[in-house]
Amino acid sequence: MHSGQPAIVCTSISKTYQGQTALADVSFTAYAGQVTGLLGPNGAGKTTLIRIVTTIVKPSAGTYQVAGFGPDQAIDIRARIGVMPESAGYPKRTRAIDLLTYHGRLYGAPADEARANAMEMLMAVGLADRRTDRIGTYSRGMRQRLGLARALMNNPRVVFLDEPTLGLDPAGQQGILELIDELAAQRDVAVLLTSHLLAEIQGICDRAVILDHGRVVFDAEATQGLSEIFHKVTT
Amino acid sequence: MSATAIVAREEISETWLRGWGPWLAAVVALTFSGTAIALGYSSQLNLLDAREGLAVVVRMSIGVGVLLVVLSMADSISGMRDRSTLEPMLLTPVSGTSLVGGKLAAAGLGWLVAFVVSLPYLYVLGDGLGRIAVAIGVSAVLGALLSITFGAAAAFLSIRSRTNLQTLGLGLGGLAFLSIPLLLPASVMSNPVGELIARADPLSAAQHIIGSLIIDQNSLASEISWFLGPVVAAIVASWLAWRSAAFIQLEPGS
């Protein structure tokens, strides 16, 4: 997958839960080598959309392609994506290096290679010094960094980051956004980042998609009229 | 190493290196010690035959082992849902059957520990190598069958339940329900319907086998048909767990 090629293609995706519409006819494309922001107020359907295209929730209608694979090739998609879920938990007694090594092994890496990758990722997110500490002793910001490291363990072609700065203080938010920007540039991957904060999306995204009540109300470069539409949606 | 083995290894580390496993093994050993002292004292007073002592230890070993497996497996998927650790696992290319298979294999270690801890007590309480060998064989076969049955059933419930509490309630409730025939008087269970229930219920069948082979010293050939219930139960429960494991959902019904 080269820069500019479609990495995520959503076509008319809808999702209803017990009669409630979470997503309605959502279509958009995200490209390799770009950071695409998925913006919307709480409850707009951002997390549902991420869960659908990462294969863990089935859409009620519509289809998608991620890294060239469709919904029937879930294992192929999972092997090529890295995901930082919004509310991921961590085993508190496990050491960060062990968690990442285990995760790497689940992607088929031999033990030594997985451990070396884990160390590299921990260095990349600034947690190398705390690698042997139990995750239960980590702050929220450190857990977010660890989540980002876990999302990159399989050298993914497409990365999904669901509200990566949620619950962080301004300095922590800035730190994690810089890290994402840096990693996206270095690795030439497609990044889909969700947020309910306009400034975040404007700061690092090339394109933006605004979701409102499960519908796409904006899909263009992150500069063209983004603020105006977002303020309309949130007021 | 297969994905199942990787998951099993991690689960074993989580329980036995970083978790409550060693403490539990110590508690199990202490319980066996207390029981063995009481049984030994009763034997000296001729209140209890050595064979009955062996049967008590075998029952304890199987009971404790199965309980450990059920508790571990009840926590397997619904516990991950509760702790929000399921989503990152579902996002990996590991299949649901490998995930559940690895967890079941790791949970089986709980039974194995109870079985191994019981061996010295069987040796001390047994009277003759023949009897000890029968007790060890019965404990190994029935313990493995019941661990598979109840571990797989707990995994099935864990996959289908929304919360860990729901799984634990249903799992322990199911165990209690299947224990009912054990509490009924022998006269009730000796009629044809009672015997059918006892043969179909894996716990009652196991109780009968222990009594018949260890205490009454009947031959294996005469009692072999009683293994049918536990074997069928193990196959059915494993099939149910395997089928549901292929479709693990982040939230049941999502």
Side-chain angles (χ1 to χ4, degrees), chain A residues 18-30:
Chain A
Q18 297 165 342
Q20 297 282 324
T21 301
L23 293 171
D25 199 27
V26 171
S27 299
F28 76 93
T29 302

Side-chain angles (χ1 to χ4, degrees), chain A residues 20-214:
Chain A
Q20 297 282 324
T21 301
L23 293 171
D25 199 27
V26 171
S27 299
F28 76 93
T29 302
Y31 298 92
Q34 290 192 350
V35 180
T36 302
L38 189 56
L39 190 61
N42 291 333
K46 303 184 297 290
T47 297
T48 301
L49 183 58
I50 292 244
R51 284 177 173 168
I52 287 173
V53 292
T54 56
T55 76
I56 58 172
V57 168
K58 287 193 188 317
S60 306
T63 189
Y64 58 88
Q65 282 223 323
V66 175
F69 295 94
D72 296 337
Q73 297 157 299
I75 297 291
D76 293 305
I77 290 178
R78 289 175 198 171
R80 288 164 179 79
I81 61 173
V83 189
M84 183 178 165
E86 181 190 352
S87 51
Y90 297 91
K92 290 179 182 165
R93 291 188 302 260
T94 305
R95 303 181 310 167
I97 184 88
D98 294 333
L99 177 79
L100 294 192
T101 304
Y102 172 50
H103 211 70
R105 298 212 65 199
L106 293 176
Y107 283 91
D112 292 349
E113 189 186 317
R115 201 161 186 85
N117 287 348
M119 192 58 217
E120 189 188 325
M121 287 305 129
L122 287 169
M123 283 171 72
V125 299
L127 287 175
D129 292 347
R130 299 286 304 268
R131 65 187 179 279
T132 55
D133 290 356
R134 291 182 174 210
I135 299 168
T137 65
Y138 277 23
S139 67
R140 168 124 192 144
M142 291 165 77
R143 285 202 299 272
Q144 294 291 82
R145 285 167 177 267
L146 182 62
L148 186 58
R150 178 163 66 178
L152 300 172
M153 269 303 289
N154 58 324
N155 196 19
R157 304 312 305 145
V158 186
V159 177
F160 297 86
L161 307 170
D162 195 2
E163 301 273 8
T165 61
L166 196 69
L168 299 182
D169 58 27
Q173 288 179 3
Q174 190 56 34
I176 206 116
L177 289 174
E178 280 170 9
L179 202 56
I180 292 165
D181 203 21
E182 200 179 300
L183 291 169
Q186 282 173 1
R187 291 167 175 261
D188 195 28
V189 296
V191 177
L192 183 68
L193 177 149
T194 78
S195 179
H196 60 283
L197 301 173
L198 178 65
E200 259 182 32
I201 300 293
Q202 282 179 319
I204 65 165
C205 293
D206 303 292
R207 288 183 68 79
V209 175
I210 299 180
L211 274 183
D212 182 33
H213 291 95

Side-chain angles (χ1 to χ4, degrees), chain A residues 15 17-18 47 50-51 54-58 75 78-79 81 83-95 98-99 102-103 105-109 111 134 150, chain B residues 1-3 6-11 14-15 17-20 80 83-96 99 103 162 247-251 253-254:
Chain A
K15 179 69 183 175
Y17 288 108
Q18 297 165 342
T47 297
I50 292 244
R51 284 177 173 168
T54 56
T55 76
I56 58 172
V57 168
K58 287 193 188 317
I75 297 291
R78 289 175 198 171
I81 61 173
V83 189
M84 183 178 165
E86 181 190 352
S87 51
Y90 297 91
K92 290 179 182 165
R93 291 188 302 260
T94 305
R95 303 181 310 167
D98 294 333
L99 177 79
Y102 172 50
H103 211 70
R105 298 212 65 199
L106 293 176
Y107 283 91
R134 291 182 174 210
R150 178 163 66 178
Chain B
M1 196 184 272
S2 71
I6 292 167
V7 172
R9 192 179 157 181
E10 178 64 17
E11 291 293 323
E14 181 71 20
T15 306
L17 296 181
R18 303 189 285 267
W20 41 263
M80 290 182 83
R83 294 185 291 275
S84 302
T85 52
L86 182 61
E87 189 170 359
M89 277 303 290
L90 293 182
L91 289 163
T92 68
V94 173
S95 69
L99 176 62
K103 282 175 175 282
R162 286 191 179 275
F247 305 100
I248 294 175
Q249 291 178 318
L250 190 58
E251 296 289 340
S254 64

